[in-house]
Amino acid sequence: MRPKNVWIRQLQSTSYHTDNTASPRNNSVAITIFSTLVTARAYKAPHLLKIVTYVSPYVSFNIKKTIMIINLFQKPTEKCPRCLGKGFVDNDDINRLNKKLEWASGKCAYCYEKGKVNKLTVSNIPADLSYLTLERTKIERWKLILGNKKAKKRAKLYQENLNDLINHISKQYFVGELDFETIADLHFARFEKHNVSVKEKKEFIKYIGEVVKERKEKFE
Ligand SMILES: [Zn+2]
């Protein structure tokens, strides 16, 4: 599944591009990367070798992470907690995980349609993590699984931005008693979005309607 609509998709840009800093490549990092490569070879895992080479500039390695990565290559045994093994997130899953205002149905971004995941994934990524959609790169997913602090921070920021957007709309409608059109204009002004097309505005107004419908009980 992807974020519900283009407006939610854009939220990531406010916090997403802050972390491309490679970890300092000091000797101990180099040594642990080397030992990972040696272990990967011993395990006869060419795909692991490839991934280690690919992610090494991004993740600082240590023995614990090396073991975690090796564990990831074991056959996944756990039923995907997001799609319940279907490989597809439908409206029932979206309701169950309370993501109606956040996700659109589609391929499961948690298990990549496999229906099963590794234990490590289940223990490190909550099934309802809003940030983990098909929009994320594989590297970002790896970082989340391995508990990378910066990736976790991006996920947290994304959720905060999303909550902020939904709360803003709700307050403007229920407390400020503004109409959909005005709320949309204020939103575009807030995010400095100029030259918004009629179609984009229509889509956002539709989203405001969904927020109002979902939040009605809370404000009555
Ligand atoms: Zn799944």
Side-chain angles (χ1 to χ4, degrees):
M1 15 50 69
R2 296 190 182 281
K4 187 149 181 85
N5 61 37
V6 64
W7 305 109
I8 289 183
R9 213 168 298 149
Q10 281 172 359
L11 284 178
Q12 68 182 278
S13 60
T14 52
S15 59
Y16 193 64
H17 297 292
T18 51
D19 170 49
N20 273 331
T21 46
S23 310
R25 300 290 299 269
N26 57 31
N27 275 346
S28 65
V29 172
I31 288 165
T32 43
I33 289 174
F34 178 70
S35 64
T36 310
L37 293 172
V38 171
T39 321
R41 236 175 242 144
Y43 271 72
K44 292 194 174 95
H47 45 308
L48 176 56
L49 271 175
K50 226 195 268 170
I51 286 181
V52 169
T53 315
Y54 188 43
V55 301
S56 58
Y58 301 97
V59 184
S60 69
F61 274 85
N62 55 35
I63 299 296
K64 197 176 153 210
K65 276 183 186 157
T66 309
I67 293 166
M68 281 163 94
I69 291 175
I70 289 166
N71 283 339
L72 273 181
F73 283 91
Q74 288 168 350
K75 213 176 167 210
T77 51
E78 309 300 300
K79 183 159 96 173
C80 174
R82 188 177 280 191
C83 66
L84 303 180
K86 303 186 292 296
F88 184 90
V89 172
D90 60 19
N91 288 334
D92 288 342
D93 301 316
I94 290 174
N95 286 340
R96 172 174 49 86
L97 296 167
N98 198 17
K99 295 287 148 183
K100 232 171 159 180
L101 293 173
E102 302 180 19
W103 293 342
S105 58
K107 273 196 259 181
C108 181
Y110 195 97
C111 64
Y112 275 108
E113 292 184 283
K114 289 190 183 83
K116 283 197 170 175
V117 284
N118 204 287
K119 272 185 187 154
L120 193 63
T121 311
V122 179
S123 55
N124 279 358
I125 308 184
D128 64 351
L129 187 75
S130 299
Y131 182 66
L132 184 63
T133 63
L134 294 173
E135 302 283 295
R136 305 292 157 239
T137 60
K138 277 195 177 162
I139 286 288
E140 186 71 348
R141 189 169 179 274
W142 272 86
K143 286 183 177 181
L144 289 168
I145 296 173
L146 295 173
N148 176 276
K149 276 187 191 154
K150 286 183 178 173
K152 279 165 85 177
K153 198 177 166 198
R154 281 192 290 273
K156 195 171 161 249
L157 257 166
Y158 177 81
Q159 183 69 69
E160 283 168 4
N161 283 335
L162 197 47
N163 295 347
D164 190 35
L165 172 74
I166 295 169
N167 289 336
H168 241 83
I169 294 174
S170 312
K171 277 189 191 148
Q172 282 168 332
Y173 183 80
F174 292 108
V175 183
E177 297 184 348
L178 301 176
D179 57 44
F180 286 12
E181 184 96 12
T182 314
I183 296 173
D185 289 340
L186 286 171
H187 171 81
F188 298 133
R190 181 174 171 231
F191 286 94
E192 293 181 351
K193 293 198 185 306
H194 310 293
N195 307 321
V196 179
S197 72
V198 176
K199 195 182 159 215
E200 285 172 316
K201 196 169 172 180
K202 229 176 169 179
E203 195 187 334
F204 190 69
I205 285 179
K206 193 178 151 213
Y207 185 65
I208 298 173
E210 287 176 45
V211 172
V212 167
K213 199 175 145 202
E214 280 302 304
R215 289 295 171 99
K216 216 172 182 169
E217 279 174 24
K218 210 180 148 193
F219 283 88
E220 270 172 357

